[in-house]
Amino acid sequence: MINLITIHQDVEWKQIVQKSLEYDFYHTWDYHSMASEGDPVLFVFSEGDDFIALPLLKRTIPDTYFYDMTCVYGYTGPISNKPFQSISAEISQNFKTELLKFLKENNIVSVFSRLHPFFDQLSLIRNFDGVYDNGQIVMIDLRQTLQEQRSRYKGRLLGKIVRLKKDGFYIQDSKSPEAIKDFAEIYTENMKRVSANNFYLFSEEYFTNFLNSPGIQSKLILVYHEGIAVCGALISFANSIIQTHLLATKTSHMQFSPAKLITDEIALIGRELGMHYLNLGGGYGFKRDSLFEFKKLFSDLELEYKSWRLIADQKAYRELTLGVNIDPESDVDFFPLYRYKTNKVLEPADQNV
């Protein structure tokens, strides 16, 4: 049976998520209610008491009668009340058949979803075309002792963290309007510095709603120096995973790298909350760049990160792509290609570092 839950059905959406074996805050109704890029829907396939659900954002394709679907900022992918590896081949095939039928009947050209690196969603999604290897993310195993964790820090990292404290850098945890305003200013400056697409320039209102959402467990951590907020992180925790949803440093203090202090602090917070893992994310575009190497200073543990890039209507996809003067066979790492713009765009999941 197929059920399409809309954002107006908050009770039904929340019930599905709560019944799921593994989920992150990215799957929640609360988080999807803040989405601005499309219309949030939860596609639910069920057989008996078992279900597979997939949260997506439905978008119109300008000047056409077609649509496409993408995911919210962050790691989503499917959720279920059963381990994906234990779902029978028959149910997996039925889910695939019904989803492809739904896409065709609703003139949906493509689907894009970032798969969650901590969940075994690939056991289900590999039955479709379009699974894409993006690279790796770095994580810290918080089940080890603090001494073991810090012994994995590379080079003089721990010494530099201690030095930051001695130099007067200190941390505060606050959801006050003043703290949110400080973080919004730092984050906006940071995004403009890296030429991020306007889609990622979140407003102060967004941060306020995020931090006060009853369905999202979160904290705002700020680093101060001489009474001025110079670095901040919006962190979340769910299903034994803590992660930095957004992090930014004031340009004037980049040379001091206060992000080292705040990352170590987030690991401590994760321990206090009983989390098992800290997801540090990957590099920009999930490349092994300087950002990735910064994260590797904290841990040598990596997980594979994959995205799902399904072309549901090959003919329409090709025509739409040619219509914006792009070769459908282009090796540009962007999906769907017909929405590609030449200005720099940062991957949403990259911005959690």
Side-chain angles (χ1 to χ4, degrees):
M1 183 178 73
I2 297 300
N3 185 20
L4 193 69
I5 299 174
T6 72
I7 200 64
H8 305 294
Q9 298 169 280
D10 58 319
V11 174
E12 292 86 344
W13 192 308
K14 291 175 181 178
Q15 287 175 343
I16 289 293
V17 173
Q18 290 168 358
K19 290 178 182 177
S20 297
L21 185 66
E22 295 179 317
Y23 66 88
D24 208 326
F25 82 91
Y26 297 118
H27 296 93
T28 64
W29 176 90
D30 298 73
Y31 188 56
H32 278 79
S33 70
M34 293 186 282
S36 59
E37 192 182 6
D39 296 324
V41 296
L42 185 64
F43 178 89
V44 183
F45 167 80
S46 59
E47 285 196 7
D49 295 329
D50 298 327
F51 67 85
I52 301 169
L54 181 64
L56 294 164
L57 302 177
K58 184 179 180 181
R59 305 181 296 186
T60 58
I61 301 176
D63 303 319
T64 75
Y65 59 88
F66 291 113
Y67 301 86
D68 59 17
M69 304 191 93
T70 188
C71 67
V72 289
Y73 178 107
Y75 309 105
T76 53
I79 51 178
S80 176
N81 65 317
K82 298 184 67 174
F84 289 113
Q85 63 269 26
S86 71
I87 295 176
S88 69
E90 180 182 4
I91 291 180
S92 294
Q93 182 59 46
N94 291 343
F95 168 74
K96 177 180 179 180
T97 299
E98 292 299 327
L99 179 58
L100 293 178
K101 179 182 177 182
F102 167 80
L103 298 175
K104 182 178 181 180
E105 291 177 347
N106 288 273
N107 297 318
I108 296 168
V109 177
S110 66
V111 177
F112 175 77
S113 181
R114 298 174 197 86
L115 301 183
H116 202 296
F118 286 81
F119 304 156
D120 185 27
Q121 298 166 330
L122 193 59
S123 296
L124 177 72
I125 297 299
R126 66 161 54 99
N127 296 322
F128 294 84
D129 295 328
V131 175
Y132 189 88
D133 294 322
N134 286 86
Q136 292 77 34
I137 61 99
V138 181
M139 66 98 160
I140 295 176
D141 187 345
L142 299 177
R143 297 172 299 177
Q144 60 188 331
T145 67
L146 179 59
Q147 183 179 2
E148 289 172 333
Q149 174 196 316
R150 286 177 168 168
S151 70
R152 291 175 176 263
Y153 288 3
K154 291 184 174 60
R156 295 178 295 171
L157 175 60
L158 186 56
K160 291 179 179 178
I161 292 171
V162 172
R163 184 68 189 181
L164 282 165
K165 294 179 180 179
K166 288 183 177 180
D167 288 342
F169 289 83
Y170 61 96
I171 286 176
Q172 287 189 355
D173 169 359
S174 175
K175 293 186 179 183
S176 71
E178 294 77 17
I180 294 173
K181 181 179 180 181
D182 285 340
F183 179 68
E185 291 176 353
I186 295 171
Y187 180 80
T188 300
E189 180 196 69
N190 195 113
M191 290 298 98
K192 289 182 177 179
R193 185 177 69 242
V194 299
S195 303
N197 185 283
N198 288 338
F199 175 74
Y200 308 118
L201 296 178
F202 300 117
S203 66
E204 185 176 331
E205 181 183 11
Y206 170 89
F207 299 128
T208 299
N209 291 339
F210 187 96
L211 287 163
N212 291 291
S213 173
I216 301 175
Q217 294 179 292
S218 63
K219 288 179 177 290
L220 176 60
I221 313 298
L222 291 172
V223 177
Y224 291 85
H225 187 241
E226 298 180 345
I228 299 173
V230 299
C231 180
L234 187 62
I235 65 174
S236 66
F237 34 99
N239 214 34
S240 299
I241 301 168
I242 185 170
Q243 52 198 324
T244 311
H245 180 53
L246 299 169
L247 187 152
T249 300
K250 200 175 183 67
T251 302
S252 60
H253 287 70
M254 288 286 291
Q255 60 181 316
F256 302 106
S257 195
K260 293 175 180 176
L261 175 59
I262 209 169
T263 301
D264 183 70
E265 179 68 18
I266 292 168
L268 292 175
I269 293 171
R271 289 178 175 279
E272 293 173 1
L273 295 172
M275 299 293 105
H276 293 172
Y277 306 102
L278 167 55
N279 178 14
L280 296 178
Y284 288 119
F286 288 90
K287 296 180 175 60
R288 301 184 79 90
D289 58 3
S290 59
L291 179 58
F292 187 86
E293 292 306 317
F294 170 81
K295 294 173 182 179
K296 289 286 288 182
L297 293 174
F298 290 88
S299 175
D300 56 2
L301 302 177
E302 300 179 15
L303 291 176
E304 295 290 325
Y305 161 65
K306 301 178 186 294
S307 61
W308 183 32
R309 309 178 182 190
L310 176 69
I311 300 176
D313 188 331
Q314 294 282 350
K315 182 175 181 293
Y317 185 89
R318 180 176 180 81
E319 291 176 352
L320 288 167
T321 305
L322 290 172
V324 292
N325 299 315
I326 297 178
D327 181 358
E329 306 304 320
S330 170
D331 59 359
V332 173
D333 185 12
F334 189 88
F335 188 86
L337 273 174
Y338 54 79
R339 289 188 182 268
Y340 179 70
K341 295 180 180 179
T342 55
N343 59 303
K344 183 177 180 181
V345 177
L346 296 182
E347 284 286 328
D350 295 347
Q351 312 233 342
N352 63 353
V353 293

